[in-house]
Amino acid sequence: MRKVLPLLFGLLAFAQAQQEIAIGAIYPLTGPLASTGLELKQAVELGVDLVNNPFPQFRNIPLAAGAGLPRLAGARIRVIFADSQGKPEVGQAEAERLITQGKVVALIGAYQSAVTRTASRVAEQYGIPFLNPESSSPDLTERGYRWFFRTTPNDETFIEGMMRFLDTLKGLPTKRVGVVYENTDFGVNTAKAVEKYAALSGRQVVVKIAYPAATTSVISEVQRLEAAKPDVAIFASYTSDAILFVRTMRQVGYAPPILLANDAGFIDSQFLKEVGPQVEGVLTRDVWANDLALAKPIIGQINKLYRERYGRDLNGNSARSLQGLLVLAEAINRAGSTQPAAIQKALRETNLLSSQIFMPWGGVRFDEKGQNVLGQGLILQLVKGEYRTVWPDRLATVKPQLPFGWK
């Protein structure tokens, strides 16, 4: 009997291990973007809980009402997190470690476009599906990759939406555009999209200002922006840089008439905590707003659950991470296999309706390049500490208050 019991326990442990499917998640958990990385990690963890445990109130969301993956004998999802530190080379090394040592069946991440680029390159080399929920550089899906899938709209969609929003503003000039951006994939591709869609909408980019990410001073950049006198100043910055720009512009007394952010740092909870009261009236493009619960009640329900657990609201970053995990899990279940090729095929065949996702999108369906073609953007304005939807008109809960000025 003494010999039989350890064997039985061993078999039981082996069976339990077989019932877990490992997914690797790469995010900036330390460094300048640690606060954002924590939000994304928590959103992914909530997604795992929605898959592994029953939440009957979300019965329209695939896998949420039951427990585990029914086509894989109720197997549970287990996410192994890796810290990119916000560095492309670290993200690349962590992707390889997760694949070769963690034996993950797929990867998800990695927020920053520059890190997503290197990490997904490793996944492509090993033939492992990579689901990217948050990175918006357009060329990520222009590399001819077969294993890369992106659920978020890209910056071409977002910037084109910005120009359409500016077209709706009456009595305020919007022809002269300035763009300020960090010199990484995210910022550089934002600037390219601004040039393209500003020209197509009859606008002129009067100044382009690149700066090094995680810089310690932006005084010269602010002086250049002020001298150019743009009607609209568009920023592509992560959290620490966004905070620094706000403080510097306020310190020197310069306020662009329209301050419009390309999401990222401007919606981070740390940004709102540190400079939110001073930057009331800032606009940002986004993909998520909690006031959309009026139009889509499930947004309010999932945000309530997230807030009860983590003490903050979902935002455009964390909501996309949550949705990305659910899309990947749904594909793994539909594949009925943990073989990478089967998961890849299932991702290609994904066709989720608007009613089957939390995001305020038309659904999720990938094109031949791996880009979700049913995503869409919003324009929000910070009002009394919360971002409210101002565009498109059919979803707007408040009218934009302009011009911008410091509080």
Side-chain angles (χ1 to χ4, degrees), residues 24 148 161-163 191 201 210 285 307 324:
F148 185 79
M162 283 184 183
M163 299 303 154
S201 64
R285 69 82 177 163
R307 187 172 59 234

Side-chain angles (χ1 to χ4, degrees), residues 5 47 61-62 68 91 122 163 178 184 256 268 338 364 384:
L5 283 177
I61 304 297
V122 175
M163 299 303 154
T184 66
D268 187 89
T338 57
V364 176
K384 296 181 179 178

Side-chain angles (χ1 to χ4, degrees), residues 77-133:
I77 292 289
R78 178 169 63 92
V79 170
I80 304 174
F81 287 97
D83 180 11
S84 72
Q85 304 173 30
K87 301 175 181 177
E89 66 277 14
V90 176
Q92 178 175 332
E94 288 299 278
E96 182 154 14
R97 182 182 65 81
L98 288 168
I99 293 170
T100 59
Q101 299 178 32
K103 305 300 181 185
V104 299
V105 302
L107 290 172
I108 190 170
Y111 181 57
Q112 298 152 280
S113 293
V115 180
T116 296
R117 177 178 301 281
T118 57
S120 60
R121 185 186 305 149
V122 175
E124 188 75 13
Q125 292 168 348
Y126 280 91
I128 295 292
F130 192 108
L131 193 292
N132 167 232

Side-chain angles (χ1 to χ4, degrees), residues 104 165 224 330 338 354:
V104 299
F165 163 70
R224 284 183 61 198
E330 191 275 337
T338 57
S354 177

Side-chain angles (χ1 to χ4, degrees), residues 153-354:
N154 65 35
D155 282 327
E156 293 222 341
T157 301
F158 290 136
I159 302 301
E160 192 268 344
M162 283 184 183
M163 299 303 154
R164 290 167 56 200
F165 163 70
L166 293 175
D167 289 341
T168 68
L169 300 179
K170 307 301 180 187
L172 201 63
T174 65
K175 295 296 185 185
R176 294 169 54 82
V177 177
V179 56
V180 182
Y181 57 100
E182 67 157 51
N183 60 355
T184 66
D185 274 32
F186 166 55
V188 171
N189 284 295
T190 293
K192 289 179 180 176
V194 169
E195 280 198 302
K196 175 180 177 179
Y197 287 99
L200 289 173
S201 64
R203 296 183 170 85
Q204 178 188 9
V205 175
V206 296
V207 65
K208 291 173 57 182
I209 302 173
Y211 68 90
T215 186
T216 57
S217 173
V218 293
I219 290 177
S220 64
E221 287 84 356
V222 169
Q223 289 173 337
R224 284 183 61 198
L225 183 65
E226 182 176 16
K229 299 179 179 177
D231 301 321
V232 185
I234 296 176
F235 282 77
S237 304
Y238 290 117
T239 308
S240 59
D241 297 334
I243 292 171
L244 184 58
F245 269 109
V246 165
R247 286 176 171 162
T248 304
M249 287 192 291
R250 191 166 184 264
Q251 185 177 19
V252 302
Y254 168 63
I258 299 175
L259 177 51
L260 178 53
N262 191 17
D263 199 63
F266 285 80
I267 65 167
D268 187 89
S269 60
Q270 190 67 25
F271 174 87
L272 297 177
K273 178 181 178 182
E274 293 203 19
V275 296
Q278 291 80 45
V279 78
E280 282 271 325
V282 65
L283 296 158
T284 182
R285 69 82 177 163
D286 212 320
V287 291
W288 177 271
N290 289 306
D291 63 355
L292 293 183
L294 296 172
K296 188 171 183 175
I298 199 171
I299 286 177
Q301 296 168 23
I302 190 63
N303 183 60
K304 179 174 183 290
L305 183 59
Y306 183 84
R307 187 172 59 234
E308 288 174 349
R309 293 191 178 195
Y310 305 115
R312 61 170 71 91
D313 289 328
L314 281 165
N315 59 34
N317 293 329
S318 51
R320 283 183 295 179
S321 300
L322 167 63
Q323 187 63 68
L325 186 283
L326 294 175
V327 169
L328 179 55
E330 191 275 337
I332 294 172
N333 178 63
R334 189 158 30 80
S337 167
T338 57
Q339 292 300 310
I343 299 171
Q344 177 202 44
K345 181 175 183 293
L347 281 166
R348 290 200 179 283
E349 295 172 351
T350 296
N351 189 15
L352 296 174
L353 304 175
S354 177

